[in-house]
Amino acid sequence: MLSAQERAHVAQVWDLIAGHEAHFGAELLLRLFTVYPSTKTYFPHLGACQDQEHLLSHGQRMLAAVGVAVQHLDNLRAALSPLADLHGQVLRVDPSNFPLLIQCFHVVLASHLQDEFTVEMQAAWDKFLTGVAVVLTEKYR
Amino acid sequence: TPEEKALVIGLWAKVNVKEYGGEALGRLLVVYPWTQRFFEHFGDLSSASAIMNNPKVKAHGEKVFTSFGDGLKHLEDLKGAFAELSELHCDKLHVDPENFRLLGNVLVCVLARHFGKEFSPEAQAAYQKVVAGVANALAHKYH
């Protein structure tokens, strides 16, 4: 799905995030909840009260999973299978929400990386995250 | 809300319409290549750098951002403000309104890129509301 060049750009983006998963993740969630309040319905405790500690810990968890995906671009389905089960059977997040999260991810990257966030990186990252979303919603029915 | 309007208009005042408009349209065409279907007459769109440097892309991006900026003066009545452009995009240009939503999202990313930390979650929320409103206004006259 991703060309060699696109994989390189994905790795480039990840290099800029790695080590800062908690902070990026926390801001990602904060933006998601601020911009798209309906998404809070999927986070009963976090949505109601966004204290920094919980945002950081949940943000860390989400971005760690993204990191796993980055390491397994050749086999997303296998690598994300447990998460696909989780999203399909337990979380059941409506698929329309994934593009909202992806948009917020781009905004976090753009606002932090600024000049470093090239169009090639944005294109590859969007394709990659869209692929992750497809895998996570594949076991919905 | 009045606060959101102030945020939106305040930030827009610092926008380089020519530069950011060209960038937004360019990024749309690169990140979502199927949108190129409306711009085949623009010449060389063969690579990311061809697109980002294409003079027609830049000129059209500036035009779009100028229109968007004009729309910000009519936040109370976006449907009225964009009525003519809506008819144009439906009757002459035949653009699927989904493309307005995509461009709106790219616009937000471009602002985030230039404004950095200043582009707070609240600023993003306000802008996402505006771009959704503009997209709906542009789709309003479709039949």
Side-chain angles (χ1 to χ4, degrees), chain A residues 10-57:
Chain A
V10 168
Q12 239 184 317
V13 173
W14 185 252
D15 276 342
L16 295 162
I17 297 176
H20 310 283
E21 288 91 335
H23 273 107
F24 270 94
E27 188 182 326
L28 173 62
L29 286 169
L30 184 61
R31 284 186 184 271
L32 184 68
F33 297 152
T34 307
V35 180
Y36 306 107
S38 60
T39 57
K40 292 193 282 185
T41 55
Y42 292 103
F43 298 87
H45 306 293
L46 195 54
C49 166
Q50 291 125 50
D51 72 273
Q52 193 58 9
E53 201 190 308
H54 287 114
L55 278 176
L56 282 167
S57 87

Side-chain angles (χ1 to χ4, degrees), chain B:
Chain B
T1 69
E3 295 79 25
E4 286 171 325
K5 281 188 199 168
L7 257 178
V8 168
I9 292 169
L11 269 174
W12 195 259
K14 303 191 235 183
V15 163
N16 180 327
V17 164
K18 185 170 176 174
E19 194 194 319
Y20 299 12
E23 183 187 334
L25 186 60
R27 280 187 183 250
L28 177 77
L29 296 174
V30 172
V31 179
Y32 309 106
W34 56 92
T35 58
Q36 291 170 28
R37 73 192 294 286
F38 302 108
F39 301 100
E40 315 220 287
H41 52 293
F42 270 26
D44 187 5
L45 300 178
S46 61
S47 69
S49 70
I51 291 171
M52 298 312 283
N53 292 304
N54 183 309
K56 287 190 175 170
V57 170
K58 289 184 182 191
H60 196 75
E62 183 182 353
K63 211 169 168 190
V64 169
F65 259 46
T66 304
S67 268
F68 183 84
D70 289 341
L72 292 185
K73 302 176 188 148
H74 304 277
L75 288 172
E76 305 297 330
D77 180 26
L78 288 174
K79 291 197 165 86
F82 286 102
E84 260 186 56
L85 277 174
S86 180
E87 281 170 11
L88 176 74
H89 282 78
C90 169
D91 298 332
K92 295 266 161 57
L93 305 175
H94 311 294
V95 178
D96 175 356
E98 181 57 28
N99 291 283
F100 308 141
R101 286 165 200 116
L102 284 177
L103 181 58
N105 277 345
V106 174
L107 184 156
V108 168
C109 289
V110 169
L111 294 183
R113 217 176 70 72
H114 286 276
F115 292 119
K117 300 254 157 51
E118 202 186 340
F119 200 65
S120 63
E122 291 73 20
Q124 182 188 351
Y127 264 96
Q128 299 275 183
K129 276 192 190 174
V130 173
V131 300
V134 171
N136 287 338
L138 283 170
H140 189 65
K141 293 273 180 184
Y142 273 58
H143 59 95

